[in-house]
Amino acid sequence: MKLEIGNFHVKDIVFGRETTFKEGILTVNEKEAIEALNPEGNLKEVELQIVHPGENARILPIKDIVEARMRPDGRAVFPGYTGGMERSGSGQIYALKGMAVTAVGEYAGCGDAMLDMDGEAAGLTHFSKLIHPGFTAKNVDPSEDNDATFKKNLHYRLGAHLLAEYIGRAVTGQMPEEWEVYDDAATTSSELPRTALVLQVSAAMGEGLVTRLYGQDAVQLVPPMLHANEILDGALCGDTLFFGSMKLYTYDYQNLPLIKELYAEHGKSLNFAAVFLDVNPPVADLKTRASERIAVMAEMMNIDAAIVVNTANGHSEIDFFTTIIKLEEEGIKCVGHCMESPGHGGGMQSKIMLDERVDAVISTGADHVILNLPAKERIVGHLGTIGRDPYPGAWAYDPEYGPSLHEDGSLVIDSLMIAGHDGNAGWSNKVCMSY
């Protein structure tokens, strides 16, 4: 399977009469863009926003982040979600680099996040390096904004993907500046280890909250095997369940560094053979079922080694450890890839499960760090969601730290609030200062 991604590098974004891309400048027609992202009128008070890296700005609550793309052959960028069902992973697709469409709502839930475009918190995430053309909006139906800890964000998330498609069409008929080619027919060697990526997705809770696979919720999903190209090409869309710092946004799946690095080593130090999706069901027997299925698929594919990725904390860590153990029992050498949760003082056990058979783990760092952040000149969204709504990493009042939101607009929060902070997709935004 061969996927060609043609890249257009966006230098700046402005509003104008027509949506066009010329000499690195993306011009967006506001009226058309709003109509494109809200075709059924499920959102109201929709406003487009453009936020730049280095700007004294804070964006919240973020619902999803999506790279703008288009297919020259007219197929949907996100098959089964924004258009008819087609297999992704082959052919050509165009991508607008250096930017990402961001959806921002009125109320926050546990799967929502914050992004600072400058300062200390900006250095903790890859998303601060992008220009963000996005939108703020409210749900027409107030029941969509109930007081539930977990919010489905259905119309915000769909709107972000539709807007990404609309913006992507600005490069129709143009030639990309460069190409990325992902071809599994590249030369391989029988002497190299057949290597798989085991990628944990959100599938634990109810409809509307979890990762989408070809537009369908992955609720109670039995782990499937995917081609790596499918993931880079719109088969997976982000969830609204995992905490904002941990989860993989649609943008992350479209640009997954772990897949790109495995491709870079394909035929050199390893043969990149498959991607298995791991799930995190809330029932013990289903966890065992998932890990066993991955082990069976790996055995059938003659896998020699695997990178196993943990993308959340809590009971998802049981799936992470159990899958590694099952694979190791089949003689498949594993390396774990995960963040840690040692608590604010660093004194807690960093994973809820430990096992001596899991003896090779790459840590992306701690997901609980207290941040004292100054006020920002520009707020995109609703700062009042902090302390009012059930964010992970913010509170109305804490005996040690006081309120998260101060009267002057400054914050004291946990890094769990920062979109993409934990680096679970393979982005590297931290260094180890001591061990």
Side-chain angles (χ1 to χ4, degrees), residues 168-399:
R169 290 195 288 272
V171 300
T172 300
Q174 301 186 39
M175 287 299 296
E177 300 169 43
E178 64 183 19
W179 290 94
E180 298 176 37
V181 179
Y182 300 96
D183 186 359
D184 63 358
T187 302
T188 60
S189 170
S190 60
E191 297 179 358
L192 297 175
R194 287 176 57 80
T195 304
L197 176 66
V198 181
L199 183 63
Q200 190 176 80
V201 297
S202 168
M205 294 182 68
E207 183 180 356
L209 294 169
V210 298
T211 305
R212 289 182 180 271
L213 173 60
Y214 283 111
Q216 300 302 307
D217 280 356
V219 176
Q220 303 297 320
L221 181 72
V222 176
M225 180 175 71
L226 269 66
H227 195 288
N229 289 4
E230 293 180 274
I231 296 172
L232 297 177
D233 194 27
L236 290 178
C237 296
D239 68 274
T240 188
L241 178 61
F242 287 168
F243 295 166
S245 65
M246 302 175 186
K247 72 180 185 181
L248 303 193
Y249 296 81
T250 297
Y251 180 95
D252 294 319
Y253 291 123
Q254 293 172 295
N255 295 278
L256 203 67
L258 289 167
I259 285 180
K260 292 187 175 184
E261 185 65 21
L262 285 166
Y263 254 122
E265 293 300 315
H266 182 63
K268 299 175 183 178
S269 63
L270 55 84
N271 294 327
F272 187 18
V275 178
F276 306 126
L277 298 187
D278 200 356
V279 295
N280 57 336
V283 180
D285 283 350
L286 296 183
K287 290 181 181 296
T288 302
R289 179 189 71 171
S291 297
E292 291 283 11
R293 294 311 308 159
I294 291 170
V296 168
M297 289 188 293
E299 185 179 14
M300 293 172 64
M301 291 292 294
N302 297 313
I303 299 298
D304 300 304
I307 296 175
V308 183
V309 182
N310 178 207
T311 57
N313 59 12
H315 73 83
S316 297
E317 297 168 355
I318 298 173
D319 304 278
F320 171 66
F321 278 89
T322 303
T323 296
I324 292 176
I325 292 167
K326 294 295 183 182
L327 290 171
E328 290 278 355
E329 289 175 348
E330 297 297 329
I332 299 169
K333 298 298 182 182
C334 295
V335 173
H337 180 283
C338 65
M339 77 287 174
E340 299 181 67
S341 304
H344 293 154
M348 295 170 53
Q349 180 173 305
S350 62
K351 310 298 280 184
I352 66 170
M353 177 180 176
L354 297 172
D355 192 289
E356 62 183 9
R357 290 168 289 183
V358 181
D359 58 2
V361 176
I362 296 171
S363 171
T364 64
D367 63 1
H368 286 287
V369 178
I370 292 295
L371 302 173
N372 289 278
L373 303 176
K376 296 297 181 184
E377 294 177 0
R378 182 183 178 192
I379 301 297
V380 178
H382 299 274
L383 188 62
T385 55
I386 295 181
R388 184 195 71 186
D389 297 345
Y391 279 109
W395 45 84
Y397 182 81
D398 181 89

Side-chain angles (χ1 to χ4, degrees), residues 51-54 59 62 64-67 98-102 113-118 121-133 243-255 417-425 427 429:
V51 193
H52 293 82
I59 310 172
I62 294 172
D64 206 348
I65 303 173
V66 186
E67 184 169 79
M99 57 149 286
V101 171
T102 302
M114 183 186 88
L115 177 63
D116 277 5
M117 298 301 288
D118 73 339
L124 299 176
T125 172
H126 52 292
F127 289 126
S128 64
K129 300 176 179 66
L130 305 173
I131 306 172
H132 289 264
F243 295 166
S245 65
M246 302 175 186
K247 72 180 185 181
L248 303 193
Y249 296 81
T250 297
Y251 180 95
D252 294 319
Y253 291 123
Q254 293 172 295
N255 295 278
M417 275 197 67
I418 306 300
H421 164 264
D422 290 329
N424 291 324
W427 308 102
N429 302 297

Side-chain angles (χ1 to χ4, degrees), residues 32-62:
E32 289 182 1
I34 291 172
E35 290 174 350
L37 73 90
N38 192 30
E40 297 182 0
N42 291 312
L43 298 171
K44 63 181 181 180
E45 299 179 34
V46 182
E47 296 182 3
L48 296 192
Q49 309 282 343
I50 300 172
V51 193
H52 293 82
E55 185 176 350
N56 193 316
R58 178 166 288 152
I59 310 172
L60 76 167
I62 294 172

Side-chain angles (χ1 to χ4, degrees), residues 132-148:
H132 289 264
F135 65 92
T136 58
K138 300 178 181 179
N139 276 309
V140 171
D141 182 355
S143 68
E144 297 284 346
D145 287 322
N146 58 38
D147 59 359

